[in-house]
Amino acid sequence: GDIDAVQNLSRQKVYLFHGYNDAVVAKSVTDAAADFYRHYLGDANQGNLYYQTALGAGHSLVVVQEPNATSLNGCNANKSPFIDQCGYDQAGIILQHIYGALNPPNRGHLSGAIKRFDQSLYTTPDIPDALSMGSNGYAYVPKDCENGEACRVHIALHGCKQDAGDILGRYVNDTGYNSWADANHLIVLYPQTKESL
């Protein structure tokens, strides 16, 4: 039981981020999470933890500068859609930390498509609302994967107030995961939550 859980945790790849302009979550909280993982990773696996604190981001997921992205924030923002342009490809850093070296992202026209799926299939016997889940989730599926080639699945969990009900498709479309997925036989699953009533 407990020994197996600790052994499994010791092999995990963990990415933590705290922007130094985050006005929502105190750095001490993220530091405590880092200490927790350091403890269970042990000395031999300290390299499995990537803790980024050197960016001036606000409370957000961080992306590279996008000159035409008018709906995204400047780097130090702490507001919706909680996606800040800091010249840092956080999705790419996360994916490479987890999976190792990857092909460069496809920054052009993507081959695949974003597909919507009914999340009630996975919440039965409850309805999605009862579990604070949105009715629909999304997945980015590269063309190669749709055509039957072997692909991995990465689950990208959005943060608070980043669900499709709050920020439409910005998290799914604008965080950079799809560009990496398209070039690396990777399906990205975007489950959606919903504010509890």
Side-chain angles (χ1 to χ4, degrees), residues 78-156:
N78 288 282
K79 63 181 184 177
S80 184
F82 300 101
I83 302 171
D84 291 358
Q85 298 178 92
C86 293
Y88 180 79
D89 187 357
Q90 194 168 48
I93 299 296
I94 290 169
L95 292 172
Q96 291 176 91
H97 177 63
I98 293 171
Y99 302 112
L102 296 174
N103 296 323
N106 177 0
R107 300 287 187 201
H109 181 73
L110 299 180
S111 73
I114 294 168
K115 301 189 180 278
R116 184 175 58 190
F117 64 91
D118 179 357
Q119 291 191 144
S120 71
L121 299 171
Y122 307 99
T123 64
T124 302
D126 294 307
I127 62 170
D129 281 0
L131 301 174
S132 296
M133 297 295 292
S135 297
N136 297 306
Y138 300 90
Y140 176 75
V141 182
K143 190 71 167 170
D144 292 342
C145 301
E146 189 165 350
N147 289 340
E149 292 188 27
C151 292
R152 294 181 279 201
V153 175
H154 180 81
I155 301 172

